[in-house]
Amino acid sequence: MTTLLIGPADKTVTITVQQRTHTAPQDAFRILVPIDLPTVFRPVAPFPGISSVKNQTEAWDHAGARRNPQFDDGSQANEELTEYVLGSSFAYQLTGFTNVLSRLAAGIRGEFNVNPDGDGTLIRWTYEFKPLPGRRWILAGPFAPLWRRYMVAALDRCVHVIETKDNSEQPLLRAE
């Protein structure tokens, strides 16, 4: 059983971004969940991108699955899928950072929600930081706009992958 990082009494710093896609929710979810992390999490100064993923021994489709994202700067983190609702949402927590985040946060809870939006989908992504004592002001202040910029760029790339794969999997129509 997973021990959750963040509880009701924690004072966290939350950053949420969202983007729409013309892709149907079930297709967006199917493509988003196993997305190739190095493809979408590229460097956005001052943050490194993800260069690879190690130690993923299970499919990323159920609570309890684990992996270790490796960052471009040589650091890494521990990631565990904590919630998985087929077709609509998944949540994960990141701990054990070996970069500057280890001095700012005890960890992070991330969550993706995939919601119907007309003929397409609204994807909402939230990062909830659990600050270390005395560090909340840094995360909520100068850190937040920089991290939001990183998230916007990554979500834009996620939507691009979703729309590209969705279009490539559609049958071709032929003129007769």
Side-chain angles (χ1 to χ4, degrees), residues 121-176:
T121 301
L122 175 67
I123 300 171
R124 184 172 292 124
W125 179 27
T126 299
Y127 246 48
E128 187 177 10
F129 293 86
K130 181 176 181 177
L132 290 171
R135 306 299 199 296
R136 187 178 192 288
W137 71 273
I138 298 169
L139 290 171
F143 182 86
L146 297 172
W147 192 258
R148 177 180 302 282
R149 188 176 65 172
Y150 182 82
M151 289 177 70
V152 166
L155 185 55
D156 184 58
R157 286 188 290 275
C158 286
V159 167
H160 175 76
V161 168
I162 289 166
E163 290 181 347
T164 301
K165 283 195 176 190
D166 184 47
N167 287 334
S168 70
E169 294 175 7
Q170 299 298 319
L172 296 174
L173 300 176
R174 288 193 223 186
E176 305 251 351

Side-chain angles (χ1 to χ4, degrees), residues 23-40:
T23 303
Q26 67 274 11
D27 294 326
F29 187 85
R30 176 182 48 77
I31 297 166
L32 180 62
V33 172
I35 205 160
D36 181 57
L37 299 184
T39 298
V40 296

Side-chain angles (χ1 to χ4, degrees), residues 30-162:
R30 176 182 48 77
I31 297 166
L32 180 62
V33 172
I35 205 160
D36 181 57
L37 299 184
T39 298
V40 296
F41 293 97
R42 303 304 316 146
V44 177
F47 304 111
I50 295 178
S51 57
S52 65
V53 175
K54 291 187 177 177
N55 305 318
Q56 183 171 329
T57 57
E58 313 173 65
W60 198 249
D61 63 0
H62 63 279
R66 297 170 190 240
R67 61 188 178 190
N68 299 105
Q70 307 295 302
F71 300 101
D72 293 340
D73 64 359
S75 64
Q76 70 172 8
N78 302 321
E79 183 177 19
E80 181 178 358
L81 198 56
T82 57
E83 298 173 30
Y84 183 89
V85 179
L86 182 62
S88 66
S89 67
F90 63 96
Y92 53 95
Q93 58 189 31
L94 294 159
T95 58
F97 286 96
T98 61
N99 58 20
V100 70
L101 279 173
S102 70
R103 295 189 288 278
L104 296 174
I108 300 163
R109 180 185 189 277
E111 181 177 350
F112 277 93
N113 289 278
V114 176
N115 301 298
D117 186 55
D119 291 337
T121 301
L122 175 67
I123 300 171
R124 184 172 292 124
W125 179 27
T126 299
Y127 246 48
E128 187 177 10
F129 293 86
K130 181 176 181 177
L132 290 171
R135 306 299 199 296
R136 187 178 192 288
W137 71 273
I138 298 169
L139 290 171
F143 182 86
L146 297 172
W147 192 258
R148 177 180 302 282
R149 188 176 65 172
Y150 182 82
M151 289 177 70
V152 166
L155 185 55
D156 184 58
R157 286 188 290 275
C158 286
V159 167
H160 175 76
V161 168
I162 289 166

Side-chain angles (χ1 to χ4, degrees), residues 2-15:
T2 300
T3 301
L4 294 180
L5 174 70
I6 297 173
D10 290 319
K11 303 283 188 235
T12 61
V13 175
T14 303
I15 302 170

